Amino acid sequence: ITLWGTKENLDEWIARSFARSSEGNSSIDLAVTERWRVEALRPRLDAEVTEETIPLEAGLTETIAPNKGCYPGQEVIERTLSIGSPARRLVKLEGEGTPPAPGESLRAASPDTGEAGPEIGKVTTTLGLTPERFIALGIIRKSHAKEGTPLRTASGQACVIRGVSPFSA
């Protein structure tokens, strides 16, 4: 499913739409749909889709109608398409330990030592799967957006890229 809206409106809609019935039938809660979203590498408004991102970075190329005519942000989109790809990409991360906080910086990790290098992006969404394991989404520089790339969070947690948002012009 694809849902668009602010987090507060979506939380309310999901609670209302998937509430348990008086017979006690099971329902789908926000935690389940959020995990599906992260596993599917799909962005959410106010998390991955913000004033600082463009749809191409968040893997939303299919949402842009190329024959629409003029629209807000068209110059940025067209410039990015003419260059070939966006400068940043949405990635899915897996790591061990406590989930990093949204907004925490992501750094390139040395393949030899595992030490953190320069900042290359930020965590946008995190989910703790178990006390020892998390998944997350982040937006990072395209030069580092390759599956299997090791990263470190600003707080030192190791994580690995397990998916990169699609991009096709």
Side-chain angles (χ1 to χ4, degrees), residues 6-17 30 44:
T6 64
K7 182 173 181 349
E8 294 78 26
N9 289 345
L10 290 175
D11 290 348
E12 180 185 320
W13 181 85
I14 290 169
R16 197 174 55 248
S17 300
L30 180 60
R44 183 183 76 213

Side-chain angles (χ1 to χ4, degrees), residues 39 92-96 133-136 158-162:
E39 291 284 357
K92 180 172 68 172
L93 308 165
E94 278 187 13
E96 295 184 8
R133 189 167 160 258
F134 68 86
I135 57 174
C159 55
V160 176
I161 296 175
R162 294 294 183 211

